[in-house]
Amino acid sequence: MRNFIAMLSFTEENYLKALLHITIEVEHKNAAGTNELAGYLGVKPATATDMLRKLKEKQLISYEKYGKISLSDTGRKKAIEILRKHRLWETFLYEKLEFTWDEVHEVAEQLEHIQSQKLVDKLDKFLGFPEYDPHGDAIPTASGELKPSYKKTLSEAAEGTTCRMVAVKDNTVAFLKYVSQLELGINTHIDVLSRQPYDGSMEIAINGKNITISQKFAENILIV
């Protein structure tokens, strides 16, 4: 088993990370469907099925054809390691190299496959053991602990209340650039002024400036 884990390809690691994200961070469930996983990764279901067979052979997932997919204990541990590296690299790029938060994901996708555990641990220490990445997502600890993700969205906030943005659900470049254009960021305070019953659009105030946002936008901003 140990040799199998050491020989994982980048694609295999990406599948494990995707399964962790779908099942634990987003849906808070134990298993995912093949079509769901394929859609998330942007591949055909047949392509996903071929890869799932390989991961099952390495005992990283539990999977039967046309059935649900779940991470094994070993697979979950490996997926969390990959996720930890990804979010630490995002934090390093953002805080130390002045990458913007819409740039860090693509670069971290490459750096997350580095295998040196010593490097990752030193990176964590160098950054001061951060708990969250630039997008507000929890960074797993060295022991594999992963804090629950935030659940409440801006679309759920009541009129007349003030909330604080803590994370985003959509990490695409287009969305993050739009968020920045609105002068929103992690820990920004938001005043919820009104909501339109017809389409769910909202009027909010950021730093004293009133703007109107769509329901879709509000559903991708996580708050406390």
Side-chain angles (χ1 to χ4, degrees):
M1 174 61 64
R2 188 170 300 171
N3 290 335
F4 276 152
I5 302 303
M7 294 169 58
L8 290 181
S9 68
F10 289 3
T11 302
E12 288 171 325
E13 290 191 346
N14 288 338
Y15 269 73
L16 293 178
K17 188 179 68 170
L19 277 170
L20 179 72
H21 181 71
I22 294 170
T23 58
I24 296 175
E25 292 205 295
V26 177
E27 300 295 338
H28 304 284
K29 58 187 181 182
N30 294 323
T34 303
N35 289 340
E36 183 180 17
L37 177 63
Y40 179 84
L41 290 167
V43 300
K44 295 180 180 179
T47 301
T49 298
D50 288 341
M51 179 56 66
L52 292 171
R53 291 196 191 100
K54 296 178 182 179
L55 295 175
K56 182 181 178 180
E57 289 175 0
K58 296 183 179 183
Q59 301 177 32
L60 295 169
I61 63 169
S62 296
Y63 166 69
E64 297 297 334
K65 191 173 182 180
Y66 306 120
K68 293 292 185 178
I69 317 149
S70 60
L71 289 163
S72 66
D73 289 343
T74 303
R76 186 180 189 278
K77 180 180 179 181
K78 182 62 179 178
I80 288 177
E81 289 177 0
I82 300 164
L83 187 67
R84 177 172 180 250
K85 287 186 286 185
H86 181 96
R87 292 179 176 172
L88 282 172
W89 282 119
E90 283 193 335
T91 305
F92 173 75
L93 292 166
Y94 182 77
E95 292 187 357
K96 304 301 181 181
L97 299 186
E98 299 182 352
F99 279 67
T100 60
W101 74 339
D102 55 278
E103 295 174 325
V104 297
H105 178 75
E106 184 177 350
V107 181
E109 283 282 299
Q110 302 168 48
L111 294 170
E112 70 185 28
H113 300 293
I114 290 174
Q115 296 301 312
S116 172
Q117 189 60 51
K118 182 177 181 179
L119 174 60
V120 176
D121 291 340
K122 283 186 173 292
L123 178 64
D124 194 12
K125 183 179 180 180
F126 175 70
L127 293 170
F129 305 104
E131 295 184 352
Y132 297 94
D133 73 8
H135 307 118
D137 294 317
I139 300 173
T141 65
S143 62
E145 179 185 355
L146 179 60
K147 290 184 178 181
S149 56
Y150 295 107
K151 296 181 181 180
K152 186 175 181 180
T153 66
L154 180 55
S155 62
E156 300 173 85
E159 291 182 4
T161 61
T162 298
C163 55
R164 179 169 56 89
M165 175 176 158
V166 290
V168 293
K169 290 177 67 176
D170 186 343
N171 284 331
T172 61
V173 171
F175 182 76
L176 294 174
K177 284 186 175 180
Y178 183 38
V179 173
S180 296
Q181 289 173 7
L182 297 180
E183 298 181 3
L184 263 173
I186 303 302
N187 292 320
T188 298
H189 285 83
I190 304 169
D191 297 316
V192 181
L193 304 178
S194 64
R195 185 195 314 273
Q196 290 295 327
Y198 174 69
D199 61 2
S201 61
M202 302 171 67
E203 184 179 8
I204 62 174
I206 305 168
N207 299 321
K209 180 181 178 181
N210 292 11
I211 60 172
T212 299
I213 60 173
S214 68
Q215 181 176 358
K216 181 179 180 180
F217 180 88
E219 288 173 349
N220 281 288
I221 299 295
L222 296 165
I223 61 166
V224 292

